[in-house]
């Protein structure tokens, strides 16, 4: 007699292959359902802790949707995360001829040079550009849809 096969369940540190969609009131921010699935390691910071908590205990093959209240998924909006950056510094960090427009998302290197973070342009002056470094869904309700393809 063979024993029934145990379906893998998401645990802290699990390696996942999944399709997921993160959306706010204005629509999708990330949606992998129309493209290749994502692969990530739970606990590596690729998803917010609140989103990761929703995945714990789900079985491979699960397709579900969670609604997270405003601020839970990516924190509240922080006005201190809106900062003016001098155009002279932007020229040193990247292309000196770069033209910026409200709504553009710009990647910046982390101080240690090993990663990057993004800021959205929210205002312009002759000498500086104002960026919002808050997550686009900070302070907003979030819908998280997931289909777990594989759990290791």
């Amino acid at each position: 007699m063979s024993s029934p096969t145990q379906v893998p369940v998401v645990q802290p540190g699990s390696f996942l292959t999944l399709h997921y969609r993160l959306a706010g009131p204005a629509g999708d921010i990330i949606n992998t359902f129309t493209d290749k699935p994502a692969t990530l390691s739970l606990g590596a910071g690729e998803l917010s802790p609140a989103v990761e908590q929703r995945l714990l205990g789900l079985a491979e093959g699960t397709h579900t949707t969670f609604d997270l209240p405003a601020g839970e998924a990516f924190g509240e909006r922080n006005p201190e995360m809106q900062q003016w950056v001098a155009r002279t510094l932007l020229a040193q960090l990247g292309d000196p001829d770069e033209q910026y427009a409200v709504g553009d998302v710009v990647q910046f290197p982390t101080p240690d040079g090993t990663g990057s973070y993004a800021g959205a342009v929210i205002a312009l002056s002759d000498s500086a550009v104002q960026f919002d470094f808050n997550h686009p869904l900070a302070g907003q309700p979030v819908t998280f849809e997931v289909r777990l393809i594989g759990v290791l």
Side-chain angles (χ1 to χ4, degrees):
M1 287 181 30
S2 64
S3 60
T5 306
Q6 192 73 14
V7 176
V9 173
V10 177
Q11 300 173 31
S14 288
F15 187 75
L16 308 176
T17 301
L18 69 163
H19 279 295
Y20 72 101
R21 181 178 66 87
L22 280 172
D28 289 356
I29 296 292
I30 297 173
N31 186 342
T32 69
F33 282 94
T34 58
D35 201 10
K36 292 186 289 192
T39 55
L40 54 90
S41 180
L42 214 62
E46 296 167 270
L47 295 172
S48 81
V51 170
E52 286 193 357
Q53 281 299 120
R54 300 297 195 291
L55 293 172
L56 292 174
L58 295 181
E60 184 176 274
T62 299
H63 187 174
T64 190
T65 302
F66 301 102
D67 290 316
L68 290 84
E72 185 177 333
F74 298 100
E76 294 300 329
R77 294 197 68 71
N78 180 350
E80 293 177 13
M81 297 286 284
Q82 295 180 355
Q83 298 182 5
W84 287 94
V85 179
R87 288 184 183 267
T88 53
L89 178 58
L90 291 169
Q92 291 171 12
L93 292 173
D95 179 355
D97 299 320
E98 182 74 35
Q99 298 295 311
Y100 298 96
V102 172
D104 287 352
V105 176
V106 178
Q107 293 290 324
F108 290 87
T110 55
D112 64 9
T114 62
S116 67
Y117 59 97
V121 176
I122 57 173
L124 304 162
S125 77
D126 289 340
S127 62
V129 177
Q130 188 179 25
F131 291 93
D132 185 348
F133 294 106
N134 284 289
H135 188 282
L137 292 173
Q140 297 183 45
V142 171
T143 299
F144 175 63
E145 178 184 5
V146 62
R147 185 170 78 225
L148 287 170
I149 298 167
V151 177
L152 293 174

